[in-house]
Amino acid sequence: MKTSILAALLLTAAVLPAAAQSGPTPQEQMACRGDASKFCSEHIGKPPEMNACLRENKTKLSDGCRKVVESHGG
């Protein structure tokens, strides 16, 4: 019994961070495509840098992209 509880806790701990770091949906990518090209083109293909760039430029983003950035903690 203790082994199965421990296994369940370890599995949960491994899955939650992966889910929290999941990338943007295709719809979210489309909402930010123009802004990403305009403000952060040097970071295309580098998700962590792109996310940071979009957060830094949040006040300049289109409404749709700003909502995406805010929904991901930016």
Side-chain angles (χ1 to χ4, degrees):
M1 177 73 169
K2 288 181 183 179
T3 304
S4 61
I5 292 172
L6 179 60
L9 288 173
L10 290 174
L11 179 61
T12 302
V15 170
L16 288 178
Q21 294 180 5
S22 64
T25 66
Q27 293 84 2
E28 291 173 331
Q29 289 177 349
M30 289 302 296
C32 289
R33 179 170 282 182
D35 293 316
S37 293
K38 184 175 181 179
F39 301 113
C40 306
S41 62
E42 67 273 17
H43 302 296
I44 291 175
K46 305 174 197 166
E49 291 89 347
M50 177 62 75
N51 293 337
C53 181
L54 290 173
R55 282 193 304 271
E56 290 169 10
N57 289 285
K58 188 166 78 168
T59 60
K60 302 175 192 172
L61 301 177
S62 64
D63 289 339
C65 186
R66 187 177 310 114
K67 288 176 185 176
V68 170
V69 171
E70 289 172 348
S71 74
H72 287 274

